[in-house]
Structure formats: C-alpha cells, structure tokens
Amino acid sequence: MLAWTPFLQPLPELVAGWYWLCIPLVIGVSMVYKALWIDQDGPWARQVAVMSALVVAALILVGVLLGVFVQLVIPILQ
Amino acid sequence: MTRRPQDPTPERTLQPVAAILAWVLPGLGHWWLGQRIRAIRIFAGMAVLVLGGLFIGGVDSVDSKDDYLWFYAQVGVGPVVLAIDAVNQAVVKDMPEDEQRAWRSLGHVNSVGTLFIGLAGLMNVVVILEAFYPRPRQRRDRRAEAT
C-alpha cells in the first residue's frame, strides 16, 4: 500500500462498507441542526443522539423497502 | 391582541455583520451575537462534516472545475473551502498523471467526501440565515406563560 497522508489524500481501499459513512454524516448534520434548534441550556447531546439514531433507522427502513421493491415486486410485475 | 408591557420578547432585527461572520467561520456569527454555547456546537458540527469529508475524499473532495455544482453548495462553509480548492487546483491538478493517482479520489470515496462538505455548506447557509435574522429565544418561556 502506498503511503497515505490523511486529510490530503483520499481514504485508500474504501469500496465495501462505504455506506457506514452515513453515520458520521448524520451525526454532523444533527449536531448543526440541533445547535440551532435547541436552547443553549437544552439537552443538545441527547437530542443529537436521538435525531441521529432516528435518521439512520429511517435510512435503513428506506433501504429495506427499496430492496424489497426491487428484488420482489418488480420481478412480479414483469 | 395587545402585548403586555412586561413581555420580555425582544424585537427581531437584521444582523448583517453576524451573517458575514457566520460565513467567514461557521459559528462565529452566533459567537458575535453572544450565543457562545450555540456557536461552539455549530463549529463542532461543521468540523465533523468538513474534516470528515477531507478525511474520506482528501483535498479532491473540493473541486471547482470538475464538481462545480457541488462546489457551489460547498462554498457555503466559507473561505476554508476556497483554500482547499486552491490547494487542489494549484498542487494536485498540476501533478503528472501517475502521481495524481494517489491524490485523486474516485467512485464512492469521491462521492461521499464531496457529499460531506456539500452538506456542511448547505447547513451553514441555514446557520448564516439564522445569524442574519435570529429568532427570539424566549419562545419556550412565552409558551409556558400562555398555559
């Protein structure tokens, strides 16, 4: 493997499992969103955790539904 | 409906300086407005997204030439994105083809890195708008008074 410089060069060998990267993405978006929405003395960290979990769960649900549609429903329609 | 004289709700005012500061550095606009904790939280979230994007896709995640539509979204993060693009254009794009291979991100790596910083830019547009025209923060107190 070639020498890798983090933050300058792309992550090497990220082909399988790239979809796990949705978790830090969702956490980052939730951090900013909840920073604006929650009062300064509010439970920001807990709200970020809840929102992140809900969004990831929704992504999984959509993935499962689309998978069922593509694998089962479309072959029936053809 | 008449407003009670003791109503603590402040008038909403436009804050152009806060909006500019929010673009210069995410969170700085809210810091200037005196919302220090909120500013730190915004900065932390933006750091996760921008550094995450750079960690995954490298400097090639920001590319004004090849990903120009995404670049427009990414510019919302502020001058740091312009600096990353300048590095990409001036250093990486000038390398010989075989040397570029280690610096250019392809496929999912490029997509995800670009997406991280693109979403950071779009989120910061929301932050800028909120700094420009900040909401009154006593909303919860008013709701409690009403009940």
Side-chain angles (χ1 to χ4, degrees):
Chain A
M1 194 174 83
L2 294 170
W4 171 55
T5 313
F7 301 104
L8 292 178
Q9 293 177 321
L11 206 59
E13 297 172 24
L14 181 80
V15 178
W18 59 270
Y19 40 80
W20 289 106
L21 295 171
C22 77
I23 293 173
L25 180 73
V26 166
I27 290 172
V29 170
S30 303
M31 286 170 77
V32 178
Y33 180 82
K34 288 295 179 183
L36 289 177
W37 199 244
I38 296 290
D39 287 338
Q40 290 202 95
D41 55 351
W44 176 70
R46 189 162 56 84
Q47 290 280 331
V48 168
V50 170
M51 180 177 167
S52 302
L54 286 174
V55 173
V56 170
L59 286 173
I60 292 169
L61 183 66
V62 169
V64 169
L65 289 175
L66 285 174
V68 168
F69 184 76
V70 170
Q71 299 290 331
L72 299 177
V73 177
I74 289 180
I76 292 169
L77 294 175
Q78 284 175 340
Chain B
M1 194 173 133
T2 54
R3 176 177 285 182
R4 287 169 296 167
Q6 71 272 24
D7 192 339
T9 307
E11 292 299 323
R12 296 183 80 175
T13 53
L14 298 181
Q15 302 283 350
V17 177
I20 292 166
L21 291 174
W23 183 74
V24 169
L25 185 71
L28 192 58
H30 285 82
W31 185 277
W32 189 78
L33 290 171
Q35 301 172 15
R36 302 286 163 89
I37 295 171
R38 182 167 285 114
I40 292 167
R41 289 171 177 173
I42 290 167
F43 183 81
M46 287 294 169
V48 167
L49 291 172
V50 174
L51 293 178
L54 285 178
F55 185 78
I56 294 161
V59 289
D60 196 36
S61 298
V62 180
D63 191 338
S64 60
K65 296 267 168 62
D66 292 337
D67 302 322
Y68 63 93
L69 281 177
W70 280 104
F71 179 73
Y72 294 146
Q74 293 169 334
V75 163
V77 174
V80 66
V81 161
L82 302 176
I84 295 166
D85 182 58
V87 171
N88 190 17
Q89 304 301 332
V91 180
V92 178
K93 293 284 173 72
D94 272 0
M95 287 177 176
E97 275 299 311
D98 54 332
E99 276 184 48
Q100 274 192 27
R101 212 170 298 150
W103 291 81
R104 301 289 299 274
S105 54
L106 300 167
H108 290 314
V109 177
N110 185 254
S111 305
V112 175
T114 304
L115 179 66
F116 265 68
I117 304 177
L119 275 180
L122 294 175
M123 290 301 293
N124 203 41
V125 170
V126 178
V127 172
I128 291 167
L129 291 174
E130 219 279 332
F132 183 56
Y133 194 49
R135 279 184 298 141
R137 293 294 171 184
Q138 286 84 0
R139 191 172 286 179
R140 198 171 55 177
D141 302 337
R142 276 187 288 144
R143 210 180 299 143
E145 281 175 9
T147 54

